[in-house]
Amino acid sequence: MTSDLSTPAAPDGGAESGAVLDGNAAAGDFAGILASDPTTVTVRCGSCGSTQAFGQLSACLGGPGTVLRCRQCEAMVARVAKTPQGTWLDLSGSSSWLFLPAPGPA
Amino acid sequence: MTDTNATEGQADSSAEETPPAGNHWRKATLIGVHPQSWHSRTLVLDVPGWAGHLPGQHVDVRLTAADGYSAQRSYSLAEPATPDRVAVTVDLLPHGEVSPYLVESMELGDELDVRGPIGGWFVWEPGDPSIGDGPVLLIAGGSGVVPLVTMLRARKRAVDSTPTMLVYSLRGPRDLMYGPELEEMSADLSAPGSAEVRLVYTRKVPGGHPRPASHLTVEDIKPPSAWPEPLAARVYVCGSSGFVDHAAGLLHKAGYPDDRIRTERFGPTGVDR
């Protein structure tokens, strides 16, 4: 995995790629807030009710904050933003987060 | 780079208060470089206190300029866990801000900061009971091959015999990363730690390669006939967002259930602070 802001297209893979990635790429920021690895958390979308692993959510990075969207209905489920006042965590678009016991170091 | 060795050292010495993994920047020193393709290289970093990681996890890397401006990127860990050691393989993005420094300029002894390991979703550890003895299918687009090769290296190190195949989509011969290693790994499929490797060239095909240039097809991800229950395979896909969507579509078409597929996407996602 490679990421670099100023490049318009991904290094390979054929199809065009935008800045929409997945929850794996947002994990560093959320790991700084949550007590455990976020990528394995099962997140339920507050809009359509579908569940997906945090690591599979769509993620928009590089803006003033990081926005995570449901891969089924594209509703915003979570966002985090670092500001001079502090770090904002908005989970209002999700209805639940299920943290499974993690077996390995994460 | 800022000179904060003294304070960092003090913070590290308070072993009682270990912050959560992933939330702690550590000083890393470049101790080795290995070219991988004409536009990528592996950087080996000495990171005192690095306790280890799982194949497939990544690190955040932070560069800080003398004026305090800093840029942060994510890179997959390129080697199985070794104490005090972190390796990343970085692909040059010509107009990027960070990768040209890492691929072309950074010299042995230079420092940067790393944070991690991050992520427990896109991981495969040989012997993982949730996978059992079932086969493992790895599908890579471009530099998405990095975490998948780390999985193959861990499997080889563990002398694990889980049936495993890597399907690696790339533009042309000079984009091939880990070429000699993949060739050796797939030369004798009866050897311990070996894996079937399929190279899928999308634009330029080297002489002697049987497959014409085209994007990944259903035929390319068809499992080896020796796999007893191919649809029970755990599948890992890593590449650009477009590649991952394409590969996931092929997997669905081939009948793989969603819950067997794990994906990781990379792309232009830098966060500058």
Side-chain angles (χ1 to χ4, degrees), chain A residues 1-22 24-25 27-29 31-35 37 39-40 53 55-56 61-63 66 71-72 82 104-106, chain B residues 21 23 54 57-58 60 73-76 91 93 95-99 115 117-122 142-143 147 169-171 215 240-243 261-273:
Chain A
M1 183 183 69
T2 311
S3 57
D4 209 330
L5 176 66
S6 320
T7 301
D12 194 38
E16 282 297 304
S17 165
V20 180
L21 301 178
D22 58 37
N24 297 299
D29 282 334
I33 301 168
L34 304 172
D37 166 45
T39 57
T40 56
Q56 305 296 77
L61 292 92
T66 295
R71 221 164 253 294
Q72 299 298 321
K82 289 191 172 157
Chain B
N23 186 27
L54 298 172
Q57 289 189 303
H58 66 271
D60 286 346
R73 300 291 185 271
S74 295
Y75 295 102
S76 287
D91 201 16
L93 303 178
H95 305 290
E97 187 181 47
V98 171
S99 65
R115 176 173 78 171
I118 296 165
W121 169 257
F122 194 81
S143 59
S169 168
L170 67 165
R171 285 181 181 169
H215 287 307
S240 68
S241 222
F243 177 83
I261 305 169
R262 301 203 165 192
T263 63
E264 180 162 79
R265 295 150 199 269
F266 63 72
T269 66
V271 182
D272 300 316
R273 293 184 170 124

Side-chain angles (χ1 to χ4, degrees), chain B residues 110-144:
Chain B
D110 287 348
E111 292 183 335
L112 47 71
D113 299 314
V114 300
R115 176 173 78 171
I118 296 165
W121 169 257
F122 194 81
V123 298
W124 171 42
E125 193 176 31
D128 180 347
S130 73
I131 297 176
D133 300 328
V136 175
L137 174 58
L138 308 173
I139 303 177
S143 59

Side-chain angles (χ1 to χ4, degrees), chain A residues 12-16 56, chain B residues 122 137-142 144 148 167-169 200 202 215-222 231 235-258 260-265:
Chain A
D12 194 38
E16 282 297 304
Q56 305 296 77
Chain B
F122 194 81
L137 174 58
L138 308 173
I139 303 177
L148 306 183
V167 181
Y168 177 11
S169 168
V200 173
T202 60
H215 287 307
L216 191 73
T217 66
V218 168
E219 202 59 30
D220 295 320
I221 61 168
K222 204 171 165 190
L231 295 180
V235 188
Y236 295 87
V237 185
C238 186
S240 68
S241 222
F243 177 83
V244 169
D245 287 339
H246 176 63
L250 295 178
L251 288 162
H252 289 147
K253 208 167 167 189
Y256 287 89
D258 233 0
R260 303 301 297 169
I261 305 169
R262 301 203 165 192
T263 63
E264 180 162 79
R265 295 150 199 269

Side-chain angles (χ1 to χ4, degrees), chain B residues 117-191:
Chain B
I118 296 165
W121 169 257
F122 194 81
V123 298
W124 171 42
E125 193 176 31
D128 180 347
S130 73
I131 297 176
D133 300 328
V136 175
L137 174 58
L138 308 173
I139 303 177
S143 59
V145 75
V146 174
L148 306 183
V149 166
T150 304
M151 294 175 186
L152 289 173
R153 288 174 169 181
R155 174 173 170 274
K156 193 173 179 184
R157 190 193 272 187
V159 201
D160 181 271
S161 55
T162 310
T164 304
M165 176 169 76
L166 169 68
V167 181
Y168 177 11
S169 168
L170 67 165
R171 285 181 181 169
R174 67 178 194 162
D175 303 297
L176 179 63
M177 298 163 107
Y178 305 113
E181 184 173 346
L182 293 177
E183 194 171 323
E184 195 197 324
M185 208 177 267
S186 57
D188 174 9
L189 293 180
S190 63

